[in-house]
Amino acid sequence: MGWQERDYDSIPGTYVFDGKRANPAYALNKLLYTLNEEHCRLEFAADPEAYCDKLGVKGEFKKAVLEEDFLGMLRMGANIYFMAKMAIPRGTSVQDAGAAFQGITTEEFIANLQKRAEGLTDKIKSRGDYWNG
Amino acid sequence: MAKIIGGITSSHIPAVGNAISNNLQQEPYWKRFFDGYGPAKEWLKNARPDVVIVVYNDHGLNFFLDTVPTFALGCADEYHNADEGWGLKPVAPFKGNAPLSWHLAESLVEQEFDITMCQEMKVDHGFVNPIRALYGDHEIWPVEAIPLAVNTVQHPVPTARRCYKLGKALGKALESYPEDTRVVILGTGGMSHQLQGERAGIIDTDFDLECMDKIATDPEWFANLSNTDIMRIAGTEGIETIMWMVMRGALKDDAKVIHKHYHAPISNTGAGVLVLDNEAE
């Protein structure tokens, strides 16, 4: 018996964090979790490879960490919130990460976010019962 | 008797905390977002709650993946914020209300919600930022706070309906508390956003507005959505909006809508503030 298919697996460009990701990526996520602690961040920054070895992060997982390949990590089962603990101190914001996932620039990613909210104030005005400054 | 005075929803994204720390509330990017909290703050001032129960999800500060409780209730005297990996200075600790927490735990378990009880619970941006947005920063917070964490991180995540039922049980639990305690419930997180994958950056303002209207006046509509429905439309992290249903369930069916504010995008997110008054006629 392998992992069962879920209905959400058909959502494109999306890696829902469930058992089939949490199980194989446990050590990877544990490494990411330790980065809550400053002394761990320093130890990791000083020698990422040794830190992976210490935390039992191996093979493809280790390669992705060392290359800071966030999309690769995500596909292998890194949880996005845990990954933020590694990405943000390296100067990668959530917008930078989103842009990297799509292979566009951060400016383009931010412009796309704005586009999704186009016409919002008119929409809110027409509903009538919303605060609108 | 404890009284549920009302409920408020709020986004809890980290950027909100950063904006408050850096005093950016009146900068053009943030102005509309923060100004929309004004009527909520005003209502809260008159409502004078003794305790806020904050329904939020932990993002890997208190809970690692070794143990993931579906619903976890803080049962401590105080709660500390801590470094989430970004090196930010933690905000002042929050005073809890242990006797009330333990009463809630007892009543919830009695009502077949087998809640995880936490005597130590670090609280992250999900808990802290809605309080900061509504009260501003304080060295001594002007209200007691109780964390109620819902797992929205590792699937299986509870359904919107389950959250709604938890809210109903929470409402009953509060009503049976003998002390005269005024309680406001904060439903936090959401609205549509996706941080992960090639699909990152989706925001659906029509869906968000529909959710705000329906959660206020027809929560069954939202309770009928599956988690896959919600993620498909509102993104994987948009699933957080299920936590609003805990707040909604605790209030009367006809709780009065006092204030509605929606803004997008803020960071990667659609953000909604809903104020429901449980006592207004």
Side-chain angles (χ1 to χ4, degrees):
Chain A
M1 272 291 281
W3 298 104
Q4 291 171 56
E5 184 106 349
R6 301 284 171 219
D7 55 358
Y8 50 67
D9 292 330
S10 64
I11 305 175
T14 299
Y15 310 91
V16 174
F17 189 70
D18 63 3
K20 69 177 168 293
R21 299 204 163 85
N23 176 276
Y26 189 77
L28 172 61
N29 282 310
K30 190 150 192 176
L31 180 150
L32 297 170
Y33 177 68
T34 64
L35 303 179
N36 279 332
E37 303 278 343
E38 195 184 7
H39 70 94
C40 295
R41 294 199 290 275
L42 293 172
E43 192 181 334
F44 177 53
D47 189 344
E49 186 161 10
Y51 198 72
C52 284
D53 294 341
K54 182 177 164 182
L55 273 290
V57 175
K58 298 174 189 156
E60 288 297 301
F61 294 97
K62 181 174 165 180
K63 187 165 173 275
V65 171
L66 298 181
E67 290 173 0
E68 297 187 16
D69 171 11
F70 295 123
L71 184 58
M73 286 167 67
L74 191 63
R75 286 178 171 161
M76 281 187 269
N79 176 274
I80 188 71
Y81 298 126
F82 289 77
M83 205 159 70
K85 299 174 192 299
M86 173 175 162
I88 290 174
R90 277 166 181 68
T92 304
S93 71
V94 287
Q95 283 87 20
D96 296 328
F101 295 152
Q102 294 170 4
I104 59 174
T105 66
T106 302
E107 289 68 32
E108 287 169 326
F109 185 82
I110 291 170
N112 289 341
L113 287 169
Q114 297 286 354
K115 255 181 240 160
R116 290 185 179 274
E118 251 166 31
L120 179 64
T121 43
D122 290 338
K123 224 180 259 179
I124 282 174
K125 235 176 244 167
S126 73
R127 290 203 171 224
D129 59 345
Y130 279 77
W131 178 91
N132 201 23
Chain B
M1 300 286 276
K3 234 184 219 169
I4 306 170
I5 308 161
I8 302 177
T9 68
S10 171
S11 169
H12 65 216
I13 52 170
V16 167
N18 297 342
I20 296 169
S21 294
N22 297 315
N23 209 17
L24 304 177
Q25 293 97 321
Q26 290 304 306
E27 293 293 316
Y29 181 82
W30 287 102
K31 186 173 169 42
R32 188 175 183 279
F33 171 84
F34 279 108
D35 283 357
Y37 276 79
K41 288 165 141 171
E42 201 53 39
W43 178 83
L44 207 48
K45 207 184 282 172
N46 294 322
R48 292 174 292 104
D50 303 303
V51 181
V52 288
I53 297 175
V54 185
V55 187
Y56 76 109
N57 63 293
D58 181 82
H59 306 73
L61 176 67
N62 191 68
F63 296 114
F64 177 55
L65 306 174
D66 56 338
T67 308
V68 180
T70 298
F71 299 119
L73 182 70
C75 294
D77 292 320
E78 61 175 23
Y79 305 97
H80 290 257
N81 180 217
D83 186 354
E84 298 181 51
W86 314 324
L88 300 178
K89 186 175 166 264
V91 301
F94 296 85
K95 192 171 180 288
N97 184 326
L100 174 56
S101 287
W102 286 92
H103 167 83
L104 296 177
E106 198 176 322
S107 171
L108 288 171
V109 171
E110 174 71 33
Q111 295 179 71
E112 300 179 0
F113 271 94
D114 306 323
I115 195 124
T116 299
M117 293 162 267
C118 302
Q119 291 212 71
E120 282 189 54
M121 198 173 188
K122 283 183 274 189
V123 287
D124 74 4
H125 64 269
F127 173 93
V128 167
N129 286 345
I131 298 179
R132 296 178 76 191
L134 288 164
Y135 283 96
D137 274 342
H138 296 269
E139 277 311 302
I140 295 169
W141 295 99
V143 69
E144 295 173 345
I146 295 177
L148 173 50
V150 176
N151 166 37
T152 63
V153 171
Q154 179 177 271
H155 291 254
V157 159
T159 60
R161 180 167 301 283
R162 185 70 178 150
C163 290
Y164 190 41
K165 285 183 180 169
L166 172 63
K168 288 184 180 291
L170 179 66
K172 272 198 189 144
L174 284 164
E175 279 165 19
S176 67
Y177 189 59
E179 302 275 329
D180 287 331
T181 308
R182 298 168 65 80
V183 179
V184 164
I185 301 171
L186 307 186
T188 78
M191 301 184 80
S192 61
H193 66 304
Q194 178 153 332
L195 302 176
Q196 57 126 313
E198 294 88 332
R199 194 167 174 260
I202 66 157
I203 291 177
D204 190 321
T205 58
D206 290 318
F207 181 71
D208 285 350
L209 291 169
E210 186 79 2
C211 286
M212 289 191 65
D213 295 346
K214 289 294 193 347
I215 291 173
T217 56
D218 180 17
E220 276 294 323
W221 177 87
F222 194 78
N224 280 331
L225 298 177
S226 73
N227 285 351
T228 298
D229 291 336
I230 298 168
M231 289 192 291
R232 208 179 281 283
I233 305 166
T236 40
E237 283 67 50
I239 196 68
E240 288 177 350
T241 312
I242 62 171
M243 295 187 289
W244 292 24
M245 293 295 277
V246 179
M247 176 282 283
R248 187 64 190 93
L251 271 53
K252 291 177 191 159
D253 290 345
D254 62 351
K256 189 176 172 196
V257 181
I258 298 293
H259 175 58
K260 275 166 149 180
H261 167 48
Y262 178 79
H263 188 72
I266 207 73
S267 189
N268 285 27
T269 308
V273 180
L274 201 56
V275 179
L276 298 178
D277 191 316
N278 210 35
E279 295 189 305
E281 291 305 316

